[in-house]
Amino acid sequence: MQSTESESNNMQLNMLEKRVVVVDDQRSFQVLIKAMLQNLGFSKITLLSSAEESRKRFQKEQFDIYLIDYNLGHGENGRQLMDYLKQQRLLPVDSIIFIISGDNSRSMVLSALESEPDDYMMKPFSQEQLRLRLLRALIRKQQLLPMFVAFQSDNKQQVLVECKKIIDQNSRYASYCRCIMAEILLEQDRAQEAKKILEEGLAVRESAWLRLFLGRATQQLGDHDAAILHLHSALHLRPLMVDAYRWLAYSQMATGADEEAIATLERAVTISPQSARLHQQIAEHCLHAHDYFRAKQSLGTLLDLHRYAVDENPQILGSYVHCMILHAINSQDTFHIGNLQKQVNMALSRCRDSLINHEFDFQTFEQICQARVQMARGNLPKGKQQLYKTTQDMLDTPQQMSSEILSETILAMMQLGEFEFADQLQKFLPPEQAKDPLLTQCIQSIRTDAVITERRNQYQLSNEQGIKAFTQGDLELALRHFRDAQRKAPANTSATLNKTQVLLALCQQQRTRKDLLNELTDTLNLMDGVSLNPAQKARYEQLKKESETLLKPQKR
């Protein structure tokens, strides 16, 4: 669908009626670009100086053309502002958005392009360059408008229909539409259909983007060797294609080449060091490989990149603290364990102001993190007490907990050894949070962590042996096993309740055994002030009632 000269002229006339907003913190550039726009015939021009000011304005008013500088001084940068506009759906469907920057470094350009603006312009540029780029973007948006309208209404089937129309017309945007179709089909697990559409496009002409999506399609079909070949072809055509590196790493990871996958991502980071997606993926892969040190480094960088993105910071911060803790535990180095408190405090301090100012329950989040530090330093009773004290008003209704607090509580429970309770809480995670790849890898890492797994397996074995012995009536053997289970997981409530139950049974048989009576009292005291789930609470109350009846004569 090639635009004719007449279409171009009509678009240029319509362009002059567009409302333009310029977001730039430099007054001199505002004056310059306003003059350019006025010379081109634009009359509806708004100038804004910061992301904060722009957010407030954009919630009340929409524009047709957004020209946003990447570097906006203090606070959010232009890319983060653009991401916010897209996430909140504040952009009119027929609008265009440009990122503008005076930094022409490769890393800056790739970082800006990662969020997919309609175009990217480097300062300085001429008035004619601005006119041509605006015209090109507006023509593209107009010709693809039915597809974008369907996208905005989340009508994926209609998007596929509109894309097919454009492909059938042999439009210059045919390859782009094939990629859009492939993206949707892959989301719907229709990889074979996506593969066919992409191969048809490649039969017409070679394309790095078609190769990229073909690599993703074959990856979803389970043919990772073929996916690796397609993704290498995409990188041969376009060596700076960061997305190709990302998907290549997924296939390498799937074939068991963990180190190769991480090396691929680290090569990509040298190309685009400000790519948030890359740093998050490195963290995910390193967590999968239990390389907590490198995961911690990537998450630290990610925190800096998302410094003002408060919606994402809690999960990133929680994952960062998680990696610090697991790195310290696995190092079994007194220096790392001793230095953990200072590191966690510094991490929390980095984000405190921005999170508190945006109504996030930072105090609860911080207390859970501090409880996890106590556990990592070997003080499980104190860590458990602090965790339950912090969350005691929430654990009875976990469905009402914020997803960030709930996810951090789950990680703390697993670290504590409350494996069963953590599994129950995990069911209350919102669907989007439960599927979050970073949180998924954090939970998986603690489930499969060597130190914690060994402790959990030993606990489970001793606990199961204790239950078996108790069922068979061998109370002395059951007690030995439950004592061992509690040593392996000192803070595990199930282990404590099981031990209480067998002690109670033994004391009822041997009322003169003061050692058993004292141990029963001490074991019950371990659960004083601890919040329990409904089943545990009912069991504890029953055991406590029976124990008080048994112990009462001893107090006279």
Side-chain angles (χ1 to χ4, degrees), residues 463-474:
N463 197 47
E464 288 168 4
Q465 290 173 332
I467 292 171
K468 182 178 179 181
F470 183 80
T471 304
Q472 293 174 347
D474 192 340

Side-chain angles (χ1 to χ4, degrees), residues 63-207:
F63 298 86
D64 302 302
I65 299 172
Y66 295 75
L67 305 177
I68 303 177
D69 190 63
Y70 189 102
N71 187 356
L72 296 176
H74 180 71
E76 280 185 319
N77 60 36
R79 177 191 160 177
Q80 291 168 333
L81 175 60
M82 179 174 64
D83 288 342
Y84 167 79
L85 290 173
K86 290 184 176 183
Q87 289 163 5
Q88 299 298 315
R89 298 196 171 197
L90 296 176
L91 294 171
V93 67
D94 58 346
S95 67
I96 60 171
I97 184 165
F98 280 28
I99 291 291
I100 298 172
S101 176
D103 186 345
N104 63 359
S105 65
R106 182 177 65 191
S107 61
M108 178 66 77
V109 174
L110 291 174
S111 174
L113 293 177
E114 190 174 78
S115 293
E116 300 180 4
D118 290 289
D119 208 341
Y120 176 87
M121 295 190 71
M122 290 182 289
K123 302 174 185 177
F125 49 79
S126 70
Q127 182 175 296
E128 180 62 10
Q129 285 175 315
L130 178 61
R131 183 188 72 81
L132 290 173
R133 299 282 277 275
L134 287 173
L135 184 60
R136 183 176 69 182
L138 287 165
I139 289 173
R140 174 179 176 274
K141 182 58 67 82
Q142 191 61 41
Q143 292 189 1
L144 297 175
L145 190 58
M147 185 262 288
F148 286 120
V149 169
F151 241 127
Q152 191 174 62
S153 61
D154 289 325
N155 188 342
K156 298 296 177 65
Q157 188 56 42
Q158 190 59 35
V159 174
L160 294 174
V161 170
E162 297 299 337
C163 283
K164 185 67 166 60
K165 289 179 184 177
I166 293 165
I167 292 169
D168 290 344
Q169 293 165 352
N170 293 319
S171 165
R172 72 177 73 176
Y173 307 114
S175 291
Y176 172 74
C177 287
R178 288 184 187 276
C179 292
I180 294 293
M181 290 184 75
E183 183 84 64
I184 293 171
L185 292 170
L186 291 173
E187 287 175 3
Q188 298 174 350
D189 292 324
R190 297 161 64 185
Q192 196 63 53
E193 294 175 62
K195 183 172 179 283
K196 181 182 177 183
I197 288 168
L198 295 164
E199 287 175 338
E200 289 172 352
L202 285 165
V204 177
R205 70 181 185 88
E206 188 60 78
S207 161

Side-chain angles (χ1 to χ4, degrees), residues 6 16 36 38 50 96 135 141 146 188 191 229 248-249 252 268 286 318 327 334 366 371 434 441 520 527 551:
S6 174
L16 304 182
M36 284 186 182
Q38 287 174 332
S50 70
I96 60 171
L135 184 60
K141 182 58 67 82
Q188 298 174 350
L229 289 175
L248 175 59
Q252 290 169 332
C286 288
H327 177 248
T334 55
E366 182 174 29
Q441 285 301 333
L520 175 61
M527 289 180 286
L551 295 169

